[in-house]
Amino acid sequence: MKILVDHADINAIKKMYEYYPVDGVTTNPSILKKAGRNPFDVLSEIRAFIGSEAELHAQVISKDAQGMIKEAYKMREVLGENTFIKIPVIPEGLKAIKALAKEGVNITGTAIYNQMQGFLAGKAGAKYVAPYVNRIDNLGANGIQVAKDIHDMLKNAGLETEILAASFKNSQQVLELAKYGVGASTIAPDVIENLIKVDAARCAVDVFVKDFEALCGENKTMNNL
Ligand SMILES: O=P(O)(O)OC[C@H]1O[C@](O)(CO)[C@@H](O)[C@@H]1O
């Protein structure tokens, strides 16, 4: 499962890249709002840091297909071909996805709350579809199940579209979908950090260090024996 960083703050992104095996960055307009600067400046800064080969996902704002298509080409021009254009899976969005996918533009179908949105976006040619796991849970449905169903439906239909699971709020949600083998998850830095926040592991390390120091002397490591 690929892991993308769901954030627009360059320092938070740099930290994730330093410590974790991550594969790219996703943003949406609400995430960009938090950055509080010209979105193209923010996205260009992220692109410069992650490099031209890494995945960068950024969303269109227009509500009509023609406007979405125009935005998609502008974003691709400024941010490079490996930019995944996030298009909400509403009827106008599907129309735009069909047109853009035919031209080889990388699309992520977003704002997915049910199985058929995901399936139709895949059939229309999206490379990824992004079910909003936690937001679905908040509606009283089962976000994990929706993501698993879409994954199965795409595979059963022989489509290459992968899940980009989104809107995670806890480790359990990520774990469930990693076990299921979905293609990718986009996760905010605080949720990524919680994935391996295990006190028992930290205690185990402390005991190992104490034992080693008892054997070899204080502040000794393999480096200064
Ligand atoms: O519920 P949240 O945390 O706002 O998440 C919505 C999600 O949708 C996306 O826009 C889909 O890629 C992510 O950037 C974000 O994780």
Side-chain angles (χ1 to χ4, degrees):
M1 180 178 81
K2 286 186 186 170
I3 295 181
L4 290 101
V5 183
D6 200 24
H7 220 267
D9 178 82
I10 193 69
N11 292 322
I13 292 167
K14 282 181 178 170
K15 184 176 177 202
M16 290 301 108
Y17 265 74
E18 190 180 353
Y19 285 92
Y20 299 91
V22 294
D23 304 285
V25 174
T26 64
T27 63
N28 64 29
S30 306
I31 291 172
L32 288 171
K33 179 182 163 213
K34 288 184 198 143
R37 290 187 289 137
N38 181 314
F40 272 118
D41 290 348
V42 175
L43 291 166
S44 299
E45 189 178 51
I46 296 170
R47 169 57 83 204
F49 172 68
I50 65 178
S52 58
E53 295 303 310
E55 288 185 16
L56 174 61
H57 298 237
Q59 191 164 328
V60 298
I61 310 300
S62 301
K63 288 186 175 168
D64 64 294
Q66 220 179 339
M68 291 173 180
I69 291 169
K70 225 172 142 194
E71 284 185 73
Y73 281 116
K74 179 168 180 192
M75 285 198 270
R76 232 167 102 93
E77 196 186 311
V78 178
L79 302 169
E81 290 199 354
N82 231 353
T83 302
F84 285 69
I85 310 299
K86 290 173 66 180
I87 300 188
V89 185
I90 55 177
E92 287 293 320
L94 264 187
K95 183 176 169 186
I97 292 172
K98 275 179 70 172
L100 287 164
K102 262 194 211 125
E103 300 303 318
V105 177
N106 292 322
I107 308 291
T108 298
T110 195
I112 290 178
Y113 287 83
N114 76 26
Q115 288 86 338
M116 287 314 297
Q117 278 182 292
F119 182 68
L120 291 181
K123 226 170 125 44
K127 290 259 165 68
Y128 286 111
V129 292
Y132 283 6
V133 173
N134 197 67
R135 291 196 197 191
I136 296 170
D137 286 354
N138 285 342
L139 292 176
N142 185 335
I144 296 293
Q145 195 54 51
V146 170
K148 287 179 175 177
D149 286 348
I150 298 171
H151 173 90
D152 291 345
M153 289 158 77
L154 294 169
K155 300 291 165 210
N156 290 342
L159 293 166
E160 281 175 12
T161 312
E162 292 285 358
I163 296 285
L164 170 65
S167 178
F168 289 107
K169 291 294 168 280
N170 63 59
S171 300
Q172 178 62 23
Q173 293 166 332
V174 179
L175 171 65
E176 278 297 316
L177 291 178
K179 284 198 296 189
Y180 205 67
V182 302
S185 284
T186 182
I187 317 174
D190 58 327
V191 179
I192 292 180
E193 283 173 337
N194 278 333
L195 294 174
I196 60 160
K197 209 176 246 173
V198 183
D199 281 343
R202 240 171 314 166
C203 291
V205 170
D206 287 345
V207 172
F208 288 139
V209 170
K210 253 195 183 158
D211 287 344
F212 193 85
E213 288 185 341
L215 176 69
C216 302
E218 230 177 282
N219 295 324
K220 290 286 187 199
T221 68
M222 293 295 185
N223 289 328
N224 55 11
L225 274 189

